[in-house]
Amino acid sequence: MSMIIGCILAALLLAFVEVLLPGGVLGVLAALCVLAATWFGFDVYGPLAAIVVFCGTLIGIAVLLLIEFKWLLRTSIGQHLLLKTSVVGHTRKPPAENSIVGHAGIALTRLNPSGRVVIQGKNYDAYSQDGYIQRNQPIVVVAQDNFKLIIKQQ
């Protein structure tokens, strides 16, 4: 009986701490403790006791987590741990229109094979098809890939 109670208490404690230190490891250990308590309940008292131990422990964990989340919202620690705003993000725009293909420019930096170029007065990240291109060398845009222009030496 003490092994069953010990495993249940360990599962409750691990589930409680998992909320504070997320990562999944403590949650897996809590699940293993629930399974161990269920096994000990089955081994000592039979299948009905195992079902009661399993369901009772899961209900206990659910109630504990509900209380913990309600409690955390009211504390200053919880205010720092829980996200209250939505995350807004966006993807980068392509560096230029497709019409830039074929335009000539100058290498601002050494391209080895990546670097910066200037085309029509605007700076762009670029990738050299030719490999190494020295600074101030004339270049031409051959394609656009994701967020870089693909260039070659003119």
Side-chain angles (χ1 to χ4, degrees):
M1 180 66 136
S2 62
M3 286 297 288
I4 297 170
I5 293 172
C7 287
I8 291 171
L9 291 176
L12 290 171
L13 178 67
L14 289 168
F16 181 84
V17 176
E18 173 67 28
V19 171
L20 300 174
L21 302 171
V25 175
L26 298 177
V28 170
L29 291 175
L32 290 174
C33 286
V34 170
L35 292 176
T38 303
W39 173 255
F40 289 132
F42 176 77
D43 191 39
V44 174
Y45 299 106
L48 183 60
I51 292 170
V52 169
V53 166
F54 183 75
C55 293
T57 305
L58 290 183
I59 291 169
I61 288 174
V63 168
L64 174 74
L65 293 179
L66 182 67
I67 291 169
E68 184 177 13
F69 279 118
K70 294 284 185 181
W71 169 74
L72 271 177
L73 287 174
R74 295 187 188 121
T75 65
S76 63
I77 295 172
Q79 300 298 321
H80 295 291
L81 290 176
L82 301 174
L83 182 64
K84 295 215 177 225
T85 60
S86 61
V87 177
V88 179
H90 60 280
T91 59
R92 288 177 50 189
K93 296 184 296 187
E97 299 291 326
N98 287 335
S99 62
I100 199 165
V101 175
H103 284 89
I106 303 254
L108 280 177
T109 63
R110 181 179 61 196
L111 283 88
N112 191 20
S114 292
R116 303 272 301 163
V117 297
V118 62
I119 299 166
Q120 297 177 335
K122 293 184 181 177
N123 296 344
Y124 298 100
D125 289 326
Y127 180 83
S128 170
Q129 275 186 338
D130 298 333
Y132 184 80
I133 297 177
Q134 282 288 349
R135 183 175 184 233
N136 294 325
Q137 294 295 315
I139 53 97
V140 66
V141 179
V142 293
Q144 182 175 338
D145 181 37
N146 293 331
F147 305 111
K148 286 188 174 185
L149 299 177
I150 300 174
I151 57 112
K152 68 178 183 178
Q153 196 166 6
Q154 200 172 27

